[in-house]
Amino acid sequence: MTTTHIAVGMTLAYGLVALFPEFTPVVLGVAIVASIFPDLDVLFEHRKTLHFPVYYALVALPAAVVAAVWPSTLSVGVFTFLLFAWVHSVSDIFGGGAEARPWEVESRRAVYVHFTKRWLPPDRGVRYDGSPEDLALVVAFSVPAFVLSDGPLFYLLCVNLALSVVYTVFRKQVPDFDLS
């Protein structure tokens, strides 16, 4: 659920803000974008085209060093992007498969690992996107971000939480929705 990635990203971003307070707008803005970026591959091969649980980490490590030694808008922004795209990619392993009806537990594909050229199986700690436990994660990760946010970010979190509730209520009807 994209809204889960946003809630997790926002809360974790405040940890990074503590390290780079002078780059708060960059960290928060990039964290939101990077937290949802890998899911743009739903237009291609979902959880394969833009999900890189190994490569994002490998590139994020030297980017972290560069950001720590030469902090700038660019270096902190690049590190933030790589870190949160990695968090997204890894967290998808702990959910259900990427199929339209993941509650039917048919897929053995969570996230593709390009390095090994194989799919990791879903852990199913969260049974499927939009499940009640997925909504519980959104709520749990939204609380710290609510406390730390104000202005537009606070309202973004409110909308994010509201969308999460609506999606959870109607999740099982989504595959039956015909756009034609």
Side-chain angles (χ1 to χ4, degrees), residues 16 19-24 26-27 62-80:
L16 202 52
L19 296 174
F20 300 104
E22 65 275 24
F23 299 105
T24 297
V26 171
V27 169
V65 171
V66 171
V69 175
W70 298 288
S72 69
T73 300
L74 179 62
S75 65
V76 171
V78 167
F79 169 59
T80 301

Side-chain angles (χ1 to χ4, degrees), residues 136-156:
L137 280 174
V138 174
V139 171
F141 276 95
S142 292
V143 169
F146 274 129
V147 171
L148 296 168
S149 297
D150 61 359
L153 289 179
F154 179 83
Y155 296 113
L156 171 71

Side-chain angles (χ1 to χ4, degrees), residues 81-98:
F81 182 88
L82 294 167
L83 177 65
F84 286 94
W86 173 77
V87 168
H88 176 127
S89 298
V90 170
S91 67
D92 276 351
I93 297 165
F94 300 103

Side-chain angles (χ1 to χ4, degrees), residues 18-110:
L19 296 174
F20 300 104
E22 65 275 24
F23 299 105
T24 297
V26 171
V27 169
L28 296 175
V30 172
I32 293 168
V33 171
S35 292
I36 61 176
F37 174 78
D39 276 343
L40 293 177
D41 69 6
V42 74
L43 302 170
F44 307 101
E45 190 166 357
H46 188 46
R47 294 191 181 175
K48 181 178 181 182
T49 310
L50 296 175
H51 286 66
F52 299 103
V54 174
Y55 294 139
Y56 283 134
L58 289 175
V59 181
L61 289 174
V65 171
V66 171
V69 175
W70 298 288
S72 69
T73 300
L74 179 62
S75 65
V76 171
V78 167
F79 169 59
T80 301
F81 182 88
L82 294 167
L83 177 65
F84 286 94
W86 173 77
V87 168
H88 176 127
S89 298
V90 170
S91 67
D92 276 351
I93 297 165
F94 300 103
E99 69 267 36
R101 292 178 170 82
W103 50 88
E104 294 176 356
V105 191
E106 294 179 357
S107 175
R108 297 294 305 144
R109 295 177 164 195

